[in-house]
Amino acid sequence: QASQEELKAAYRRLCMLYHPDKHRDPELKTQAERLFNLVHQAYEVLSDPQTRAIYDIYGRRGLEMEGWEVVERKRTPAEIREEFERLQREREERRLQQRTNPKGTISVGIDATDLFDRYDEEYEDVPGSGFPQIEINKMHISQSIEAPLTATDTAILSGNLSTQNGNGGGSINIALRRVTSAKGWGELEFGAGDLQGPLFGLKIFRNLTPRCFITTNCALQFSSRGVRPGLTTVLARNLDKNTMGYLQWRWGIQSAMNTSIVRDTKSSHFTVALQLGIPHSFVMVSYQHKFQDEDQTRVKGSLKAGFFGTIVEYGAERKISRHSILGATVSVGVPQGVSLKIKLNRASQTYFFPVHLTDQLLPSAMFYATVGPLVVYFAMHRLIIKPYLRAQKERELEKQRESTASDILQKKQEAEAAVRLMQESVRRIIEAEEARMGLIVVNAWYGKFVNDNSRRNEKVKVIDVTVPLQCLVKDSKLILTEASKAGLPGFYDPCVGEEKSLKVLYQFRGVLHQVMSADNEALRIPKQSHRIDADG
């Protein structure tokens, strides 16, 4: 947000500080020349509105991208953003043939009803009947990949295999999708399987208005019973910023009309739906609360009632690693009984384990379905997941340190050179501040501080930044903006990838003050709240 006048003032101040002609020592003169050139390069970028807009939005990687030389100058930041995205698209199109988007699902159904619904009197003489029999009674595997053919055409290949109680089958589908315009796309689908005959389908998506779209799916399923046509149409509209309304009409196999409202905010997700159809008609309400924590914890509950009975579900899900989300849901219904559903999302792959516990509404089954996953999760989190994530973070930090070691070494050398060049200016600033009883930085440290006793084994990694901070004092004031302090003159990053703070002990009007500020936190001193009480 700095104005051109502020940029010029900062440029002049740093030029005076680093100008080679101000230093007679050959070594200091060489260091001053290097820093003076860096300041000049920075000013060239920031004084040009176009390159400044590119840097403000995308940083150095934006300036390094090829193609800016042909972009018309005097563009607004919004137009520059659009141009950057266009250049990115062109670069991505050159790698289209090397990209796919694999997605897959593995579902394993487990029958554990023998744990709660046992017929002991019928199997007393059968060997092994004393132990509950847990069986896998069904399994489903599906996989799909996308192969971009051109910038607008994509081929999608998918297949699935299913088995239940010894009987199974599979199918394979291929679809061709074309983006016809910014408002819509169309897709042709062809499929075949051993349980059903050939399938021909057509799907069309179209944005009717900026707030409304429609999707239509037509299908012809060939089988031994003849041709079975089907048609599904969905009309959706944005009711407000966070709310969508849907109207669905399905004709053919299991004809139905469905209407639903979905509200999704930062902290919650709410859905209410009503369906009238053959053979299923129902009303459904679900709510999900999103906790604003690092693990993206969510708890959810739903109620569904219809001709098939009533089902109540409740559960939770949590992020257990960068690419993995683990969830568990308990389903209690009439006449379905009690089931536990465990789901693991790993990147674009989904692993689903529905465990059927009982056909009856048994409190014991509901208790174990609720408490069991919680106990197992917290035990795994403490004994396996947490140590694994800690070790993974250490490996990533070590890898980051190794990859940036040469760059950090260069930054360190530049910072040390800057501190040496600042000495004379700092001496004059201190003399002026002492004369007016102004702001004098007694001590300042930047880096990783360890104050918590639980982390006392960790190593403190700080650098002395007393001189650089004093050099930034002007008219008995020091103002730092919301940005990493590692980029300030005379600073560098002493602990890459770790949390850093700035601790300052300063004197103002003869009274000691102290403050600790987070790395990206703005800081203004002096302040009355920083004052150290004499009796403290």
Side-chain angles (χ1 to χ4, degrees):
Q1 303 300 322
S3 64
Q4 286 296 326
E5 289 71 23
E6 289 172 321
L7 284 172
K8 288 179 182 177
Y11 177 59
R12 285 195 295 267
R13 182 175 61 83
L14 290 172
C15 283
M16 290 178 62
L17 183 64
Y18 296 141
H19 201 287
D21 293 344
K22 295 191 66 177
H23 304 279
R24 296 180 180 179
D25 183 272
E27 184 180 352
L28 289 178
K29 193 178 185 70
T30 302
Q31 295 169 348
E33 286 177 353
R34 185 171 68 253
L35 293 174
F36 183 82
N37 289 334
L38 288 174
V39 171
H40 182 66
Q41 290 170 12
Y43 183 69
E44 281 187 333
V45 170
L46 299 178
S47 59
D48 185 308
Q50 185 194 33
T51 54
R52 178 177 177 176
I54 295 169
Y55 181 79
D56 285 347
I57 298 171
Y58 300 106
R60 286 189 178 182
R61 68 187 182 96
L63 297 173
E64 294 168 357
M65 176 167 283
E66 298 177 359
W68 288 118
E69 62 276 1
V70 299
V71 176
E72 180 185 357
R73 302 186 70 79
K74 298 182 180 179
R75 290 196 171 192
T76 65
E79 292 172 331
I80 289 174
R81 182 186 292 273
E82 291 177 3
E83 194 64 33
F84 180 86
E85 291 172 353
R86 182 187 67 79
L87 292 172
Q88 274 194 321
R89 284 196 300 270
E90 290 180 356
R91 186 171 59 180
E92 290 297 321
E93 286 172 6
R94 292 195 291 266
R95 299 184 297 179
L96 270 176
Q97 300 301 327
Q98 303 173 4
R99 298 176 58 193
T100 62
N101 185 22
K103 296 178 182 178
T105 300
I106 296 177
S107 176
V108 179
I110 300 173
D111 184 355
T113 55
D114 204 33
L115 290 171
F116 300 95
D117 303 334
R118 288 179 58 81
Y119 301 95
D120 293 336
E121 66 278 1
E122 297 183 14
Y123 302 99
E124 290 180 352
D125 300 329
V126 178
S129 62
F131 297 96
Q133 300 296 312
I134 299 176
E135 301 175 346
I136 295 176
N137 60 355
K138 57 184 176 180
M139 184 177 291
H140 176 80
I141 300 173
S142 64
Q143 187 75 30
S144 69
I145 58 171
E146 295 182 2
L149 305 177
T150 66
T152 58
D153 297 332
T154 304
I156 305 167
L157 179 65
S158 61
N160 67 80
L161 293 171
S162 299
T163 179
Q164 183 170 1
N165 296 326
N167 298 316
S171 65
I172 186 169
N173 294 62
I174 185 169
L176 298 174
R177 180 186 299 163
R178 165 165 286 188
V179 179
T180 55
S181 67
K183 293 185 176 181
W185 49 265
E187 182 177 295
L188 283 172
E189 183 180 8
F190 307 92
D194 57 352
L195 296 180
Q196 296 177 333
L199 169 71
F200 296 94
L202 172 65
K203 185 183 292 185
I204 298 173
F205 171 87
R206 180 77 178 177
N207 279 313
L208 303 179
T209 68
R211 299 179 61 185
C212 181
F213 69 85
I214 187 171
T215 301
T216 299
N217 187 5
C218 308
L220 290 175
Q221 179 72 63
F222 295 85
S223 67
S224 57
R225 301 178 182 177
V227 181
R228 304 172 67 182
L231 175 65
T232 302
T233 300
V234 179
L235 178 66
R237 178 178 173 81
N238 280 98
L239 304 179
D240 62 33
K241 181 181 178 182
N242 300 307
T243 308
M244 288 287 295
Y246 297 90
L247 290 172
Q248 182 186 77
W249 177 66
R250 188 167 63 244
W251 172 79
I253 306 171
Q254 296 187 349
S255 299
M257 294 182 64
N258 183 296
T259 181
S260 60
I261 295 176
V262 179
R263 180 168 179 79
D264 191 15
T265 66
K266 187 177 180 181
S267 61
S268 65
H269 183 94
F270 175 77
T271 302
V272 57
L274 172 65
Q275 176 172 302
L276 300 175
I278 303 172
H280 295 305
S281 294
F282 64 84
V283 61
M284 187 269 290
V285 178
S286 71
Y287 177 79
Q288 183 181 89
H289 182 75
K290 307 173 185 176
F291 291 92
Q292 305 303 309
D293 59 354
E294 185 180 351
D295 296 322
Q296 301 177 12
T297 306
R298 300 183 180 189
V299 294
K300 53 189 177 181
S302 68
L303 171 65
K304 189 174 182 180
F307 294 163
F308 53 81
T310 302
I311 298 176
V312 175
E313 292 189 343
Y314 57 90
E317 65 178 39
R318 198 174 196 185
K319 189 175 181 180
I320 59 174
S321 70
R322 183 182 301 177
H323 303 292
S324 301
I325 298 175
L326 180 64
T329 302
V330 179
S331 177
V332 182
V334 177
Q336 290 83 2
V338 181
S339 297
L340 170 64
K341 302 173 183 178
I342 300 172
K343 184 168 71 170
L344 173 65
N345 288 329
R346 173 71 177 171
S348 59
Q349 303 295 314
T350 301
Y351 305 90
F352 187 52
F353 303 92
V355 183
H356 188 44
L357 298 176
T358 176
D359 294 323
Q360 307 173 57
L361 295 182
L362 297 179
S364 59
M366 287 185 276
F367 174 80
Y368 286 112
T370 304
V371 176
L374 289 174
V375 173
V376 172
Y377 169 76
F378 284 112
M380 289 182 60
H381 187 267
R382 185 175 182 85
L383 300 176
I384 300 175
I385 298 175
K386 201 171 180 180
Y388 171 77
L389 293 178
R390 191 185 302 116
Q392 186 183 48
K393 185 177 180 180
E394 286 296 326
R395 287 195 299 268
E396 290 176 354
L397 280 175
E398 189 61 34
K399 188 176 180 180
Q400 188 177 0
R401 292 189 194 104
E402 291 176 359
S403 62
T404 59
S406 59
D407 185 50
I408 293 298
L409 180 61
Q410 181 182 350
K411 295 289 185 185
K412 180 181 178 181
Q413 292 171 348
E414 290 174 359
E416 291 172 346
V419 169
R420 287 193 290 270
L421 296 171
M422 290 175 183
Q423 297 290 347
E424 184 62 28
S425 296
V426 168
R427 184 184 62 79
R428 291 196 299 268
I429 292 171
I430 291 176
E431 289 177 355
E433 293 296 325
E434 284 178 340
R436 66 174 77 167
M437 294 285 288
L439 176 59
I440 299 174
V441 179
V442 179
N443 278 306
W445 301 271
Y446 173 67
K448 176 184 176 183
F449 296 86
V450 179
N451 299 320
D452 189 352
N453 289 333
S454 63
R455 300 167 56 196
R456 60 183 178 272
N457 293 327
E458 297 184 26
K459 185 179 179 182
V460 177
K461 303 173 185 176
V462 297
I463 56 174
D464 189 333
V465 290
T466 307
V467 172
L469 273 191
Q470 186 69 64
C471 194
L472 293 173
V473 173
K474 184 178 181 181
D475 299 329
S476 299
K477 293 179 182 178
L478 175 63
I479 301 174
L480 302 179
T481 58
E482 292 182 356
S484 175
K485 297 169 179 60
L488 293 172
F491 282 62
Y492 68 93
D493 192 341
C495 45
V496 176
E498 300 183 65
E499 290 186 6
K500 291 171 282 290
S501 301
L502 174 66
K503 187 176 182 180
V504 186
L505 178 67
Y506 64 93
Q507 184 175 300
F508 182 67
R509 293 178 182 172
V511 179
L512 284 176
H513 297 63
Q514 184 171 284
V515 62
M516 180 173 279
S517 169
D519 188 24
N520 290 287
E521 182 183 356
L523 178 64
R524 297 174 67 92
I525 58 176
K527 268 191 176 182
Q528 182 71 24
S529 58
H530 301 164
R531 181 169 175 162
I532 301 175
D533 295 331
D535 56 354

